[in-house]
Amino acid sequence: MNPKLLKWAFAVMLLVFTLPSFAQKTPVSGRVQNKQSGEVLSGATVTVKGTNVSAVTDSKGKFTINAQPGSVLVITYAGMAQQELTLAGQASDLVVKLDESAETTLSNVVVVGYGTQRITKVSGAIATVKGADIEKLRPVRTEEALQGRASGVNVIQPGTPGAKPTVLVRGIPSFSGTDPVVIIDGVPQTLTDLNSIAPTDIESINVLKDAATSAIYGVRGGNGVIVVTTRSGRKSSKTDISLNASYGLQEVINTVGVLNATEYAAMINEGSTVSGGPVVFPDLSTIGVGTNWQNEVFKRAPMQSHTVSARGGAERMGYFLSVGYMNQGGIVGGIDKSKFSRGNFTANLNFDLTSKLKFILNTTGVILDGRGIQENSFNSVLGSALNFDPTVSVANTVAGTPGKYGFSNLLLSEVFNPLTKLENTYNKNTGSKLYGKFELQYSLMKNLQVTSRFGYTKYDGNAKSFTPLAFYGPNNIDNSMNADGSAVAGRHNSVSHEKVSNFNYTWESFANYNFEIGGKSRFETVAGFAMAKVSGNAAGATRQDVPFNSWEFADFTAATGNNTAANTNALSGYYYQYFRRNVSGFGRVNYDYDNRYLLSGTIRRDGSYAFGTQNKYANFISGSAGWVVSNERFFNSKLINYLKLRASYGTTGNENVDPQFVGIVNGGPSYGPTANSNGYNFNNVFYAGSTVGSAANDALRWEKQLQMNAGLDISLFKNALNISADYFQKEVDGLLFTPSASLYLGTVPIPTSNIGSTRSTGIDLTITYNQTIAKKVKLNNAFTFTTAKNEVTATNSDGTAKIMGGYYFNGQSQSVTVFEKGHTPGYFYGYKTNGLFQNAAEIAASATQAGAVPGDIRFVDMNKDGIINAQDMTKIGDPFPSFTLGWNFSMEWGGFDFTAFTYASIGNDVYRAYERNANFTNKDRSVLARWTGEGTTNDARYPRFTFVDANSNIRVSDRFVEDGSFIKIKNLQLGYTFKSRMQKSWFSSFRIYAQARNAFVFTKYTGFDPEIAGGILDTGVDRGSYPQPRTYTVGIDIKL
Amino acid sequence: MIAIMKTTSFKLLGLSALVLFMFSSCKKWVDYNPREDFRITELDYLRSESDYRTMAVSVYTPLQWLNQAVPVGDIASDNAVSGGENASDVLSLQQIDDMTHTPVNSTLTELWQAAYEGINRANYLHQYKDKNLAGETVTFAGKEALYGEIYFLRAYYYFHLVKFFGDVPLFTEKRLGLGESASLTRSPKADVYAQIERDLTAAITALPAIQVQKGRITKYAAQALLGKVLLYQRKYEAAATVLESVITANAFSLVTDFGSMFLESGENGPESIFEIQYTNTSPYYNWGGVTRGQGNYAIQQCGIRGLNGSADMPYAAGWSTNLPSQNLANAYAAGDQRKAVTVLDIEAYKTANPSFGITYQVAPYKNTGLYNQKYLPRKGQTSGQIELNYLNNQRIIRYADVLLMAAEAYNRSATANDTKAQAYLNLVRQRAFRDNLHNITSTGNTLYQAILDERRLELAMEGERFFDLVRTGQGSKITGFTANKHEVFPIPQQEVLVSNLTQNSGY
């Protein structure tokens, strides 16, 4: 569809909608209060049943609404039972008392795809996190609020400010991408985009977990759907203004035990002499403890967040406005080098253009600003802090050499002083984003509403980085600067710029029609279509020779590099563009008979530009059924207030693939996955070449996911105890996967094919328990339990494919994770150890292991062929937890409120991969317990120490696998709220609080932080990953 | 009431029209044409002379990726040790050094896959030689000569494979597609050699004697390679003939100063018949494919660790890999100018040049104190990511090699011509010793062994030794060598698992 057609279609749509219609209305007013305490309720919603007309109570609990006599008012308030009230005539002093004890969670309405549903009528599986919980947590990114609060969702958080966590909805279905789709107010976005929504703007988050609920998103729903609903305006209500401010300090939770200078020197001497080398440090007595590089790179970093929001409305319009700013410094290197900050400006407006036509305009502008450091490798800032020579002093004391910080005379490449690395790290990354929607809702007939929504995301990013000339010590081979400050021949400093820009939109039109037959059969239906386009481009330029080797002048305009025959890289640039297009039609019928029997069916047909010519379209169908047992006449239990059984089955999909074609690549070196380079030089003059650079698979199609869900919801003890439990089983068929192919096909990248399948099964459990003690102390407990078992059930046509990942370097390039048939995706793969060889006799008695001497690790001969080789590699760990638990406890008493949130991840292994293991790099403290002779130790973690490791004790083995299970007290918060008693007070409530995040961490893991996010093949591989900080915060929340 | 009905019907009609209209335009919306992404597909290509010439350049590219064939040829033999930082550094080379290599060996896998990419590239051009994908015939002056280069390269890639792995899958008609994975079996060595000979014969006919661009394949390169291929098959008479034609062309000469030809200034010199070209003018930085750029990765490997010294000191530091053995150093007779050029005794060099103020780190593993002087990294000869961008060409076939091959062929011919064999051998020795006093006068088997020994001394650290030992049945000179196994390297494990190829015996 071209843009012209689009405009046309929009115009027709508007025309259809704006045909006016009027009816007689009279104003009605009243107030809403809590039945138990008599407290006025501000923010309660009053709706005229069957219409869009609604109002919200003000801070005094008052409302005014236009309604015809005889119509029904529906009054709702979060956490209280909904009430309906039939209007006798004009009224001005209605008093509505809402009951807080009954149906606390069951009265809620959840936002599902293209509509809303009362939770009691849902027969699929949905996890919900409410705005109030998010407000208590005050996360930087919204996903954090899902961790441990939404059952069935696994969130593995990184420590890097603003970075995207691993989010897995119900296990690991796919290899090609596991990010769930994010729907913000009906508009599809990506998980990456969650960095730019202010958590304080969020009303609720619903995670659609099973096929019944996510199939309406078809090919995008395969990894689950996170539906975010932001706050919106309230018609006919007084303005509520909220102010929030918090300030916090972050610090590292723990550091890793490495050797101090004397211990290091002693070990180096031992390693060297054992290998026949010289004594490196002749006098150990003068060395002392040296420098603890971790203490030098970890800084205390501030974090602050401020928001102001206003919400209210006039008779025919409502608004929610908010302005927010947050800024998080990074604990590695401090806020100057590592940070994330965000400014948000939101205007969510809704208008009743006519009594039947509603217009919703949501707009959020975001400004992002970040700085980053090198991470996640042995030579990153943290990796260097762990591996660098501790005998070096912090400051450079050698006269006649440049640089503020000391250098090593032993480490002459790769690993540098982490402070020098930090000092030479210069970058900034700014971005601006505009997202939102235009939405028209039109009541075509009674109960038939048509919606047309245009949602968009526009992002512009601007990044710059500067690589200065650096001096790492007189003998360092990686120097780009000589000791006299001049540039090493052929080396240059350089500045790189990149501008990225993208514009994504989705245009969806659908109709909702609800009707009843015979009073007891109720139908809710929706049908519609959608088209979407993702498009973007990027341009970058790099230039060498920045004046004065200084960040101050690091800009393309100031740099002076120009290409010459000898240096073709002085000035370079690039540009690329991309797009995706989808078109979809969808429909859903929800049926309920007498609130007892629930049925739901969904169908979606998706077309994608990315699929092969043989499979442009895909159908996704799902169905679910529910039985509300407690509504049966025969059901008569005082204990059980509510009981619903649910089951669903259906398909969803995944389209993480690009269109394929046989292309010709032209040019020089390739930086692609197979380095399929081109070009040659004749007598040192380079000539570009061309060759086949890609292959096509016309049969390419979407990944098809079949998911079964069975669950129940039960409420006990006057609704004090609510349990929601689900069992799911999902199978992915036609897994998008790069097959293993013959090496003799050459280096043209192998195209993705639909080969392979995975199966995930698991249980999600949510338990909430609310209790009021002595009528004053309110206790609320919410537990979640999440478990998923994943298995790859097929790869290739013959099950032989083995996708390696989790690469790291410890002297050799190693790979520790594998995606392979018969195992959980991304499991750790290596050698099993069986203690240490104590003497030559043991070596002789064992399977042949080349190079082994006493003190070396004895590896296990898994295939019992008498020789230790690659065929003996096996499963040595699993980075994904067996289960996770969340426990949110909150207590209110008088003005005090207390929240404690605990998250536990049990059974996840961590692979320690941050040790460079070069002769002169620093070592883990465990080396002190090394084998030093027969009988000293038989623990495979502590082999003999030598520079010449002929046995390759450093190979990938369970020696480096640690139990990464942890319990984290993620949030502790104590607040006190002052309620205004006087009419003339300037505020309606004033709350102060103190918060500690990651207050306590209980784990056996010896690295920084056992929570290590990454792609499926990188999760749990600790290459010195950025740890999460402990944060102490104080803040105020004011409502005017 | 009727009016209301009408309005509603009108609206519904409008809505349905819109829905219909949307769906009709959907089909186009999800179609995809690579041109929307400005991407060239194979249908757009090979439509002009320039397309053919540009694509032929990339048939050369995988030559550079075979980079490690040179160090392997010496490390696998008695000439050099793997060195490195420790026993687990450069594991793939350590195992080849110790003759403990297995089918899982990253270096061998790369040497297999790179050669096959070269073959596929040559095949693709062969496939569309007469007609391109669109069915058109593109003719231009020099097309046959261009195909001469392509066929030489395909022969070179197959020769490389057959030398390393023995029997290998043989295909020449087209670039294989994904659907053809696992469809082949290994062809007997003899068939592969026959194909190599066909390609080289075609190349010799088509190629010019002189190429304007240095580094391009000439007729002589094709003849010299054919000579070598024949020698490997012990077809001595044919080898003598073709090698003789290179010699009698008088297009090449031995340079007087043996060391000079390994310097930058000596590249593509009068003795050079075929060199794989490298340059530092196109800096590369992909650590994911270290041999896939325009620079020579094998240079950095040879360097002395932590080497430092005054500005005049010519060498740059490296990784102390591929260290010449003492056995090799001892093989040179006194007065042989090649010794100092081939092995650098760092301690002796340091003592001899006090003004350089040399400091260095003793090679931490398998130290021999000796370094590969022919390919030692030199200051200022790299750029960008310094480890990956050394400019040094790999000397693949030198005139001296041709003389020694010819000597061998004449000596071994059914009707031996030892006079000629001596003459060619002594040309090489006279250059080495700068006199006639070291001429060889023996004949028969003694002369044969003298020629083989001379090959070792002349071509040490140039990747020939292991293959010379194996083809002449002297593998037992290698420590750890098992006969009937180590003559060839193992097929990469993936080819056994995925392609169902049989493994070489013993692995």
Side-chain angles (χ1 to χ4, degrees):
Chain A
M1 176 136 194
N2 67 32
K4 229 182 195 169
L5 284 175
L6 197 80
K7 278 182 203 158
W8 236 100
F10 227 95
V12 173
M13 207 72 193
L14 267 171
L15 206 76
V16 172
F17 284 164
T18 43
L19 295 168
S21 166
F22 294 101
Q24 281 298 314
K25 300 281 167 68
T26 50
V28 176
S29 63
R31 71 195 152 86
V32 181
Q33 63 189 56
N34 183 323
K35 189 177 172 184
Q36 277 77 21
S37 66
E39 181 186 10
V40 296
L41 296 174
S42 85
T45 308
V46 183
T47 318
V48 182
K49 199 173 182 181
T51 72
N52 286 323
V53 181
S54 69
V56 175
T57 57
D58 63 14
S59 58
K60 309 283 184 312
K62 287 185 177 164
F63 70 90
T64 310
I65 193 164
N66 285 327
Q68 287 167 296
S71 56
V72 178
L73 293 186
V74 182
I75 299 96
T76 54
Y77 187 81
M80 303 211 178
Q82 172 179 312
Q83 258 197 41
E84 296 192 359
L85 195 75
T86 310
L87 285 176
Q90 194 178 344
S92 58
D93 50 1
L94 291 170
V95 176
V96 185
K97 292 181 175 177
L98 296 183
D99 191 342
E100 70 166 344
S101 62
E103 296 214 338
T104 44
T105 55
L106 302 176
S107 59
N108 288 331
V109 163
V110 291
V111 181
V112 294
Y114 309 100
T116 57
Q117 233 184 331
R118 279 181 61 129
I119 194 96
T120 45
K121 296 196 176 175
V122 170
S123 46
I126 297 175
T128 300
V129 176
K130 281 185 264 173
D133 285 337
I134 302 170
E135 217 167 287
K136 280 278 163 62
L137 181 69
R138 312 211 171 255
V140 173
R141 278 182 75 110
T142 308
E143 298 94 323
E144 200 181 334
L146 297 175
Q147 191 182 50
R149 286 183 178 79
S151 67
V153 182
N154 246 325
V155 178
I156 303 172
Q157 268 187 265
T160 315
K164 183 173 90 170
T166 304
V167 178
L168 303 170
V169 176
R170 293 195 153 176
I172 307 160
S174 174
F175 162 73
S176 54
T178 52
D179 283 358
V181 66
V182 173
I183 307 288
I184 298 176
D185 295 327
V187 180
Q189 294 202 21
T190 66
L191 197 64
T192 309
D193 288 312
L194 278 185
N195 70 352
S196 45
I197 185 163
T200 45
D201 289 355
I202 295 174
E203 183 84 52
S204 72
I205 304 175
N206 296 302
V207 183
L208 312 182
K209 299 188 289 192
D210 69 338
T213 51
S214 60
I216 195 122
Y217 288 105
V219 79
R220 306 175 97 151
N223 292 328
V225 183
I226 297 175
V227 179
V228 177
T229 308
T230 65
R231 294 181 201 270
S232 54
R234 292 163 166 171
K235 267 164 267 177
S236 309
S237 66
K238 205 187 132 225
T239 306
D240 286 336
I241 295 176
S242 301
L243 296 153
N244 312 89
S246 69
Y247 184 85
L249 276 178
Q250 312 167 88
E251 61 178 26
V252 67
I253 300 172
N254 73 308
T255 55
V256 174
V258 291
L259 301 180
N260 71 30
T262 307
E263 292 161 341
Y264 165 83
M267 287 316 302
I268 296 296
N269 284 348
E270 181 175 324
S272 179
T273 50
V274 162
S275 323
V279 172
V280 182
F281 294 94
D283 185 1
L284 292 180
S285 65
T286 58
I287 292 171
V289 295
T291 306
N292 181 334
W293 294 108
Q294 293 174 66
N295 291 348
E296 300 301 320
V297 298
F298 282 116
K299 315 267 185 198
R300 197 160 275 170
M303 171 153 135
Q304 52 182 316
S305 169
H306 310 280
T307 56
V308 181
S309 66
R311 144 147 141 165
E315 191 188 339
R316 294 186 142 209
M317 71 88 71
Y319 56 83
F320 171 76
L321 306 170
S322 102
V323 177
Y325 172 74
M326 71 82 38
N327 183 11
Q328 182 186 13
I331 53 170
V332 182
I335 195 165
D336 292 342
K337 296 292 183 186
S338 168
K339 74 162 184 173
F340 174 70
S341 67
R342 174 177 64 214
N344 285 69
F345 310 88
T346 297
N348 291 350
L349 310 172
N350 57 75
F351 303 90
D352 290 346
L353 298 181
T354 72
S355 68
K356 291 189 170 179
L357 183 65
K358 209 169 169 180
F359 176 56
I360 300 167
L361 176 66
N362 282 9
T363 309
T364 299
V366 186
I367 297 170
L368 299 166
D369 185 10
R371 282 176 191 205
I373 52 156
Q374 190 188 337
E375 287 178 43
N376 226 4
S377 62
F378 73 87
N379 58 358
S380 65
V381 172
L382 266 188
S384 303
L386 294 168
N387 284 301
F388 193 62
D389 181 348
T391 64
V392 172
S393 60
V394 172
N396 181 5
T397 53
V398 181
T401 54
K404 219 155 106 187
Y405 303 108
F407 54 79
S408 171
N409 288 319
L410 294 171
L411 283 170
L412 302 179
S413 64
E414 299 178 46
V415 180
F416 315 123
N417 186 327
L419 294 175
T420 308
K421 264 198 98 80
L422 258 184
E423 196 192 16
N424 288 320
T425 300
Y426 296 101
N427 61 64
K428 67 173 183 181
N429 195 338
T430 58
S432 60
K433 185 184 279 187
L434 193 67
Y435 69 86
K437 64 173 178 180
F438 301 89
E439 181 170 325
L440 285 165
Q441 295 176 354
Y442 184 64
S443 297
L444 197 62
M445 306 186 313
K446 188 176 177 242
N447 291 330
L448 174 59
Q449 180 176 285
V450 182
T451 304
S452 186
R453 173 197 294 151
F454 181 81
Y456 65 93
T457 308
K458 171 87 188 90
Y459 178 75
D460 287 289
N462 198 342
K464 172 154 93 174
S465 66
F466 170 52
T467 310
L469 293 175
F471 177 80
Y472 300 115
N475 297 334
N476 202 299
I477 67 161
D478 290 316
N479 280 343
S480 52
M481 183 194 279
N482 290 316
D484 62 5
S486 63
V488 169
R491 304 298 299 265
H492 301 264
N493 64 30
S494 67
V495 59
S496 295
H497 298 264
E498 182 178 64
K499 279 177 84 76
V500 297
S501 179
N502 60 52
F503 182 65
N504 307 336
Y505 67 80
T506 308
W507 180 36
E508 297 166 308
S509 295
F510 54 95
N512 297 75
Y513 183 55
N514 303 336
F515 57 95
E516 284 184 11
I517 295 173
K520 283 188 171 173
S521 289
R522 279 183 290 266
F523 290 87
E524 293 177 359
T525 64
V526 61
F529 53 86
M531 52 199 305
K533 183 171 181 179
V534 166
S535 63
N537 58 57
T542 297
R543 197 167 195 183
Q544 296 178 341
D545 301 329
V546 171
F548 313 113
N549 199 33
S550 157
W551 173 239
E552 275 184 289
F553 293 92
D555 198 82
F556 188 86
T557 51
T560 57
N562 278 313
N563 288 343
T564 60
N567 181 10
T568 53
N569 279 3
L571 187 58
S572 62
Y574 63 89
Y575 170 85
Y576 64 86
Q577 59 103 39
Y578 61 89
F579 65 89
R580 302 186 75 88
R581 288 188 305 245
N582 291 79
V583 65
S584 320
F586 52 84
R588 179 178 57 214
V589 178
N590 289 339
Y591 169 75
D592 107 70
Y593 180 78
D594 196 24
N595 280 326
R596 284 185 285 160
Y597 308 111
L598 312 170
L599 280 175
S600 175
T602 306
I603 180 163
R604 175 151 174 146
R605 183 169 170 80
D606 265 312
S608 169
Y609 96 122
F611 299 139
T613 47
Q614 298 165 15
N615 292 298
K616 278 287 167 207
Y617 292 92
N619 294 326
F620 301 94
I621 299 167
S622 77
S624 65
W627 178 28
V628 186
V629 184
S630 54
N631 283 355
E632 293 287 356
R633 239 162 268 148
F634 64 77
F635 190 88
N636 192 5
S637 165
K638 290 222 162 117
L639 178 69
I640 300 173
N641 313 104
Y642 182 83
L643 173 64
K644 179 167 69 179
L645 305 176
R646 298 176 277 113
S648 74
Y649 188 75
T651 58
T652 53
N654 207 336
E655 63 152 352
N656 288 316
V657 69
D658 291 322
Q660 299 176 349
F661 56 92
V662 179
I664 301 290
V665 284
N666 201 319
S670 162
Y671 295 93
T674 60
N676 188 30
S677 293
N678 272 300
Y680 198 67
N681 66 93
F682 296 111
N683 208 22
N684 289 338
V685 177
F686 175 73
Y687 292 86
S690 60
T691 190
V692 175
S694 58
N697 169 16
D698 289 339
L700 189 71
R701 61 169 174 87
W702 62 100
E703 276 178 14
K704 194 172 176 184
Q705 232 181 65
L706 292 168
Q707 189 178 175
M708 186 278 285
N709 187 84
L712 63 85
D713 301 314
I714 184 166
S715 297
L716 303 155
F717 311 117
K718 294 182 181 168
N719 293 318
L721 178 66
N722 298 288
I723 301 169
S724 182
D726 282 282
Y727 169 79
F728 71 89
Q729 183 174 329
K730 64 178 168 183
E731 287 184 29
V732 182
D733 162 50
L735 195 70
L736 289 171
F737 194 83
T738 307
S740 306
S742 301
L743 294 167
Y744 59 65
L745 300 185
T747 55
V748 175
I750 305 296
T752 309
S753 304
N754 300 94
I755 41 167
S757 57
T758 59
R759 184 191 299 128
S760 302
T761 53
I763 292 168
D764 314 337
L765 189 63
T766 306
I767 303 171
T768 58
Y769 183 67
N770 306 309
Q771 205 184 358
T772 303
I773 301 172
K775 294 208 166 183
K776 283 197 168 169
V777 183
K778 281 202 278 183
L779 301 177
N780 185 308
N781 281 288
F783 300 91
T784 65
F785 172 84
T786 299
T787 175
K789 231 175 119 177
N790 309 291
E791 192 189 329
V792 181
T793 47
T795 60
N796 267 0
S797 43
D798 53 358
T800 51
K802 210 170 194 173
I803 306 293
M804 312 294 286
Y807 290 100
Y808 69 100
F809 188 80
N810 67 352
Q812 284 177 56
S813 290
Q814 310 272 21
S815 162
V816 57
T817 58
V818 173
F819 185 95
E820 185 190 15
K821 184 184 169 181
H823 296 277
T824 182
Y827 76 102
F828 294 154
Y829 178 74
Y831 292 88
K832 267 203 158 71
T833 60
N834 178 21
L836 302 171
F837 289 120
Q838 298 298 329
N839 49 49
E842 286 190 18
I843 297 172
S846 189
T848 309
Q849 195 174 305
V853 299
D856 280 334
I857 298 174
R858 180 196 291 120
F859 295 103
V860 179
D861 184 15
M862 296 302 291
N863 65 355
K864 308 230 183 312
D865 64 351
I867 183 156
I868 303 296
N869 57 21
Q871 273 90 58
D872 295 308
M873 293 173 80
T874 184
K875 180 172 181 172
I876 54 171
D878 183 344
F880 298 98
S882 311
F883 60 89
T884 59
L885 292 168
W887 172 34
N888 196 44
F889 169 76
S890 65
M891 188 168 81
E892 281 174 46
W893 176 69
F896 286 101
D897 63 89
F898 173 73
T899 303
F901 176 64
T902 307
Y903 177 67
S905 171
I906 307 299
N908 56 302
D909 291 322
V910 178
Y911 191 86
R912 201 150 45 83
Y914 49 74
E915 286 155 281
R916 167 60 181 83
N917 193 52
N919 290 351
F920 298 116
T921 50
N922 203 357
K923 324 285 172 205
D924 193 86
R925 286 198 77 75
S926 62
V927 75
L928 296 175
R930 76 209 170 279
W931 185 94
T932 51
E934 190 164 346
T936 45
T937 174
N938 193 35
D939 190 327
R941 287 174 299 169
Y942 312 132
R944 76 195 178 98
F945 182 67
T946 165
F947 276 8
V948 176
D949 177 20
N951 187 50
S952 194
N953 290 323
I954 58 145
R955 70 179 86 182
V956 177
S957 74
D958 57 17
R959 171 189 178 189
F960 301 107
V961 176
E962 293 192 27
D963 180 3
S965 300
F966 62 84
I967 300 170
K968 288 184 176 179
I969 312 292
K970 285 257 176 183
N971 188 24
L972 282 177
Q973 197 181 93
L974 180 64
Y976 184 79
T977 308
F978 302 92
K979 288 268 186 211
S980 80
R981 293 199 185 79
M982 292 159 291
Q983 283 291 81
K984 285 185 178 172
S985 167
W986 62 275
F987 63 87
S988 66
S989 82
F990 187 110
R991 175 171 178 266
I992 55 169
Y993 65 91
Q995 182 186 22
R997 296 208 291 159
N998 287 321
F1000 301 100
V1001 177
F1002 305 98
T1003 180
K1004 281 190 272 182
Y1005 181 56
T1006 58
F1008 290 113
D1009 189 339
E1011 212 177 336
I1012 293 158
I1016 290 313
L1017 293 178
D1018 282 319
T1019 300
V1021 181
D1022 188 359
R1023 306 177 183 92
S1025 71
Y1026 207 124
Q1028 288 176 45
R1030 176 179 290 140
T1031 313
Y1032 301 100
T1033 310
V1034 290
I1036 50 172
D1037 298 332
I1038 304 169
K1039 287 197 163 74
L1040 302 181
Chain B
M1 191 62 197
I2 288 164
I4 292 169
M5 280 298 288
K6 260 187 178 167
T7 321
T8 313
S9 319
F10 173 70
K11 289 172 187 169
L12 283 172
L13 206 71
L15 202 70
S16 330
L18 189 68
V19 170
L20 222 68
F21 169 73
M22 290 280 309
F23 276 112
S24 64
S25 48
C26 286
K27 207 189 153 331
K28 264 189 157 174
W29 184 251
V30 292
D31 279 345
Y32 176 74
N33 181 347
R35 291 191 183 190
E36 293 179 89
D37 275 324
F38 312 100
R39 300 286 296 273
I40 301 164
T41 67
E42 61 176 352
L43 279 168
D44 304 319
Y45 214 65
L46 289 183
R47 310 194 90 149
S48 69
E49 174 181 352
S50 131
D51 290 352
Y52 277 89
R53 290 199 178 276
T54 310
M55 199 166 250
V57 168
S58 279
V59 186
Y60 279 85
T61 316
L63 286 178
Q64 296 169 326
W65 312 349
L66 298 180
N67 181 293
Q68 293 295 296
V70 171
V72 168
D74 285 292
I75 290 171
S77 77
D78 53 356
N79 272 0
V81 297
S82 47
E85 185 179 16
N86 51 49
S88 48
D89 186 23
V90 284
L91 200 60
S92 59
L93 294 179
Q94 303 288 2
Q95 291 172 348
I96 289 170
D97 187 16
D98 301 338
M99 289 286 139
T100 57
H101 45 271
T102 67
V104 180
N105 185 297
S106 57
T107 300
L108 295 173
T109 302
E110 169 70 0
L111 290 175
W112 170 278
Q113 193 179 17
Y116 270 113
E117 175 61 20
I119 289 161
N120 276 298
R121 288 182 181 190
N123 283 356
Y124 189 83
L125 278 162
H126 171 74
Q127 188 179 351
Y128 298 112
K129 185 182 177 194
D130 299 327
K131 282 198 168 107
N132 67 14
L133 212 63
E136 304 154 354
T137 303
V138 181
T139 49
F140 54 91
K143 187 172 176 178
E144 285 306 315
L146 186 69
Y147 271 88
E149 294 173 50
I150 292 161
Y151 293 134
F152 170 92
L153 291 167
R154 183 163 72 184
Y156 184 81
Y157 293 129
Y158 270 123
F159 181 49
H160 164 89
L161 286 169
V162 83
K163 257 172 38 173
F164 268 82
F165 303 103
D167 301 348
V168 293
L170 176 69
F171 54 99
T172 54
E173 289 313 306
K174 57 174 187 171
R175 174 182 267 286
L176 292 186
L178 186 60
E180 282 136 324
S181 173
S183 63
L184 301 172
T185 54
R186 297 170 69 183
S187 297
K189 243 161 82 167
D191 294 358
V192 183
Y193 272 121
Q195 176 58 37
I196 294 168
E197 287 181 36
R198 270 195 298 278
D199 271 342
L200 287 174
T201 310
I204 290 166
T205 317
L207 282 167
I210 297 168
Q211 292 274 20
V212 180
Q213 287 174 329
K214 283 186 178 170
R216 279 210 186 259
I217 308 302
T218 62
K219 180 196 288 272
Y220 302 125
Q223 288 173 331
L225 183 62
L226 180 58
K228 188 169 275 191
V229 167
L230 293 168
L231 205 58
Y232 269 66
Q233 300 174 78
R234 308 195 176 199
K235 295 179 177 174
Y236 296 113
E237 295 76 10
T241 311
V242 70
L243 291 166
E244 183 70 17
S245 61
V246 178
I247 296 167
T248 53
N250 279 324
F252 304 97
S253 61
L254 295 177
V255 298
T256 319
D257 177 2
F258 183 74
S260 70
M261 77 182 125
F262 297 100
L263 300 176
E264 186 185 0
S265 55
E267 293 191 340
N268 302 318
E271 189 170 334
S272 167
I273 294 175
F274 176 41
E275 286 183 17
I276 296 176
Q277 308 286 312
Y278 292 96
T279 179
N280 65 354
T281 61
S282 211
Y284 175 71
Y285 51 85
N286 189 355
W287 283 101
V290 287
T291 59
R292 303 283 180 89
Q294 292 295 314
N296 188 346
Y297 173 70
I299 303 303
Q300 169 73 18
Q301 289 178 303
C302 303
I304 300 156
R305 277 182 188 257
L307 180 69
N308 236 279
S310 69
D312 301 335
M313 197 273 296
Y315 301 112
W319 295 336
S320 66
T321 306
N322 193 14
L323 306 173
S325 63
Q326 200 59 52
N327 179 308
L328 173 66
N330 294 344
Y332 288 97
D336 191 336
Q337 67 158 321
R338 294 173 301 196
K339 181 178 182 180
V341 173
T342 309
V343 298
L344 178 89
D345 180 334
I346 182 63
E347 269 305 303
Y349 183 74
K350 183 178 168 180
T351 315
N353 297 284
S355 66
F356 288 165
I358 289 173
T359 58
Y360 71 100
Q361 191 188 329
V362 173
Y365 189 60
K366 295 185 176 172
N367 178 40
T368 62
L370 304 174
Y371 292 87
N372 178 4
Q373 216 278 155
K374 284 181 178 172
Y375 287 115
L376 210 54
R378 286 165 186 272
K379 287 179 182 167
Q381 298 199 341
T382 183
S383 65
Q385 187 74 51
I386 55 168
E387 297 89 341
L388 306 185
N389 289 298
Y390 274 97
L391 56 75
N392 313 55
N393 291 353
Q394 276 180 342
R395 281 73 173 164
I396 300 301
I397 306 180
R398 294 195 279 118
Y399 185 50
D401 188 4
V402 168
L403 288 172
L404 292 172
M405 285 193 292
E408 186 181 338
Y410 279 118
N411 169 261
R412 292 284 99 185
S413 286
T415 49
N417 185 344
D418 280 349
T419 319
K420 249 193 169 165
Q422 285 169 2
Y424 290 154
L425 168 63
N426 286 332
L427 278 177
V428 174
R429 285 184 70 78
Q430 284 155 19
R431 189 259 305 265
F433 291 95
R434 293 189 168 112
D435 61 29
N436 297 336
L437 303 174
H438 295 80
N439 283 358
I440 302 276
T441 53
S442 58
T443 57
N445 285 338
T446 322
L447 176 59
Y448 178 50
Q449 190 55 48
I451 295 166
L452 296 184
D453 289 346
E454 202 60 38
R455 283 188 71 79
R456 180 189 194 191
L457 301 173
E458 176 69 23
L459 303 171
M461 310 311 286
E462 294 181 50
E464 292 289 302
R465 177 66 174 168
F466 173 78
F467 303 101
D468 279 340
L469 286 175
V470 166
R471 76 178 170 87
T472 58
Q474 302 183 61
S476 58
K477 289 194 175 175
I478 301 164
T479 316
F481 187 90
T482 308
N484 300 320
K485 172 182 179 182
H486 285 134
E487 287 81 2
V488 283
F489 292 101
I491 304 280
Q493 184 67 13
Q494 193 180 332
E495 295 297 64
V496 175
L497 290 178
V498 176
S499 313
N500 304 314
L501 296 184
T502 52
Q503 186 53 275
N504 282 324
S505 70
Y507 290 104

